[in-house]
Amino acid sequence: MACCPPGRHLTDDILDNIDEIVPPGTDIGTLDQAYQPPALENPSLRRRPMTTRAAA
């Protein structure tokens, strides 16, 4: 999923700010509330190292 123009990326600080506003796993749809993605159980799965990200 692309969220930035080519050559740009979201820094970890920006991603942390987004997580403060909308915590990982927040869901507004009742159909998805029973599903728990692996990244919610294991925080290390939430972000790849900066060097392996597509926009890096």
Side-chain angles (χ1 to χ4, degrees):
M1 174 167 86
C3 62
C4 296
R8 304 262 181 180
H9 65 275
L10 297 175
T11 64
D12 287 339
D13 290 337
I14 292 172
L15 293 171
D16 289 339
N17 287 337
I18 292 170
D19 288 348
E20 287 179 21
I21 297 167
V22 182
T26 300
D27 199 346
I28 59 170
T30 57
L31 295 176
D32 295 327
Q33 290 177 351
Y35 175 67
Q36 291 295 319
L40 292 179
E41 302 295 323
N42 183 353
S44 68
L45 297 175
R46 292 184 194 150
R47 293 191 195 144
R48 292 173 287 164
M50 187 67 77
T51 56
T52 62
R53 295 180 192 173

